[in-house]
Amino acid sequence: MNRAKRSEIFRRLRELNPHPTTELIYISPFELLIAVMLSAQSTDVGVNKATRKLYPVANTPEKILALGEVGLKRYIATIGLYNAKAKNVIATCRILIEQHASEVPHSREALEALPGVGRKTANVVLNTAFGEPTIAVDTHIFRVANRTGIAPGKTVNAVETGLEKHVPTEFKQDAHHWLILHGRYVCKARKPDCPQCVIRDLCEYRMKTPGKPAAHSE
């Protein structure tokens, strides 16, 4: 895939959704951080359902720490891996209080030093909370990048490196969200909705589902 094709792909995705954002509900960097930590192997809908009850009660490091693991689990028990997540969230809140004046740090190194925060979570926070042009590669982005040919790679890190190299600068800030949403609602894992895909003619996927291609504006 060449640069012109990649630019046209993102131009069309931008045309469909000029101001994309995460589907996680939050009002502060801290709320976003916790929501992303909880979202691992869980749906955004499920996380939002839990945080809708948690955040009115505890939405700062101090308040969540005061809940303790047992108290926190009562709010997040519907989320997968909630025991491990509760442990990590409590430990993260303690570090934020003791080392970062209760603020979410802006650096990747500091974010990844928090319990339960890996590169993907750090990238989401840096991009969505702090406006950095990072691209967090989840299962949706990994699939879309490989299927379309935008940035094929055998590992998450390889795909992230490819996207950082090949996504045109003007689209990097929002590329993360466009690709996630495209993978979640159109380029789905089991049966991609190719007939309704606005980048069908640019995509290099060889096993497109049949049907009349969706129209797109020039």
Side-chain angles (χ1 to χ4, degrees), residues 153-166:
K154 293 183 178 180
T155 66
V156 167
N157 286 342
V159 169
E160 182 181 336
T161 298
L163 289 170
E164 288 177 347
K165 178 180 179 181
H166 295 302

Side-chain angles (χ1 to χ4, degrees), residues 163-183:
L163 289 170
E164 288 177 347
K165 178 180 179 181
H166 295 302
V167 175
T169 302
E170 68 174 299
F171 301 114
K172 275 190 176 179
Q173 177 61 46
D174 293 318
H176 165 79
H177 297 301
W178 284 321
L179 294 174
I180 283 182
L181 295 172
H182 190 67

